[in-house]
Amino acid sequence: IVQGDLADEKAARRALVDIDVAYYLMHSMASGPTFPERDRQIAQTFAVAARRAGVKRIVYLGGLGDPAQTLSDHLVSRHEVGRILAASGVPVIEFRAAVIVGSGSVSFEMIRYLTERLPVMVTPRWVDFRCQPIGVRNVLEYLLEALDHPDAEGIYEIGGPDVVSYRQMILGYARVRGLRRLVLAFPVPHPEWSSRFVDLVTPVPHAIAMPLVASLHSDMVVRDDRAVR
């Protein structure tokens, strides 16, 4: 274990000594509204450090979303980090995932706590946008599989077999838990209101809830099946 600040290139290079493949699993959403700038800075520092340390490959876990749509700051930042890492000259595999289903996934924990605690859920209209969730074990399989494909490079969109709405995810979780839940969708003018409510009802802090809620306003589905292939 090497402890250090990834914003410090020397610390990043110490962590990368004798490393062939580096997994980049970072985001800075908890730092508040300036997180895209911080993510940009850390990615640039890490990319330079990886190149100078002789790292042969970087495996990055980013966010799913169609760049042609109007994306949230969160997803724009996730895609930008992928481009910065790729510009380093070190070959990069960028996995893009939507909601990862499993303990510790912030998006999943948000859905889990809201469903557990609210018999009647009044949500914004984004609850009917589509998503292609993937189990955390399957994400780990992809991350490990990357080690066995030395020629693989570029963007790989990953998701489970089902495309569902967030409403269906909530009701599906409730069904598995044996809970009776009602979801009502109404127009909510600003994501700030939703994120404040998430902060109140769940352990997810407002700084993280805000960019996550904003990213729910578009479909997040796999458009390229080469990861499965």
Side-chain angles (χ1 to χ4, degrees):
I1 296 173
V2 180
Q3 185 174 356
D5 182 354
L6 282 183
D8 177 357
E9 187 189 337
K10 291 181 180 178
R13 288 180 67 180
R14 281 197 304 273
L16 293 169
V17 171
D18 296 328
I19 295 297
D20 294 317
V21 180
Y23 285 85
Y24 193 87
L25 307 173
M26 294 288 301
H27 71 69
S28 304
M29 286 190 292
S31 62
T34 61
F35 77 87
E37 175 57 37
R38 180 162 174 77
D39 272 342
R40 186 179 305 120
Q41 175 197 2
I42 292 175
Q44 289 169 342
T45 301
F46 182 87
V48 170
R51 185 181 69 246
R52 291 179 176 174
V55 172
K56 295 180 176 63
R57 302 179 74 208
I58 296 171
V59 180
Y60 165 55
L61 180 58
L64 192 59
D66 183 356
Q69 295 184 11
T70 302
L71 298 179
S72 66
D73 289 345
H74 164 52
L75 292 176
V76 168
S77 176
R78 296 286 79 203
H79 293 183
E80 182 184 28
V81 166
R83 291 193 298 271
I84 290 170
L85 296 177
S88 68
V90 179
V92 174
I93 286 183
E94 178 181 349
F95 289 115
R96 291 183 176 178
V99 174
I100 297 174
V101 179
S103 180
S105 163
V106 179
S107 300
F108 175 71
E109 297 289 5
M110 190 166 68
I111 290 170
R112 180 167 76 93
Y113 276 98
L114 289 172
T115 309
E116 292 277 356
R117 295 179 174 179
L118 300 174
V120 178
M121 199 179 305
V122 178
T123 70
R125 291 280 173 81
W126 55 252
V127 77
D128 289 315
F129 277 106
R130 298 181 307 148
C131 172
Q132 194 162 347
I134 182 170
V136 64
R137 292 180 182 178
N138 297 123
V139 174
L140 292 173
E141 287 174 2
Y142 273 120
L143 293 173
L144 291 174
E145 186 78 11
L147 294 172
D148 297 328
H149 293 270
D151 296 329
E153 189 174 347
I155 296 168
Y156 290 81
E157 298 180 338
I158 59 175
D162 301 316
V163 175
V164 297
S165 68
Y166 294 101
R167 181 197 300 268
Q168 289 172 313
M169 287 187 68
I170 291 166
L171 296 177
Y173 178 90
R175 186 168 58 252
V176 171
R177 287 280 292 115
L179 304 170
R180 294 175 62 86
R181 294 293 182 260
L182 179 62
V183 179
L184 304 173
F186 293 95
V188 175
H190 198 279
E192 173 76 17
W193 295 9
S194 300
S195 57
R196 289 291 181 188
F197 184 72
V198 169
D199 179 50
L200 180 68
V201 176
T202 80
V204 179
H206 174 257
I208 294 179
M210 180 65 189
L212 281 181
V213 168
S215 69
L216 302 179
H217 288 73
S218 60
D219 291 335
M220 297 179 68
V221 298
V222 173
R223 296 167 298 118
D224 182 345
D225 69 348
R226 76 174 185 141
V228 173
R229 289 186 283 105

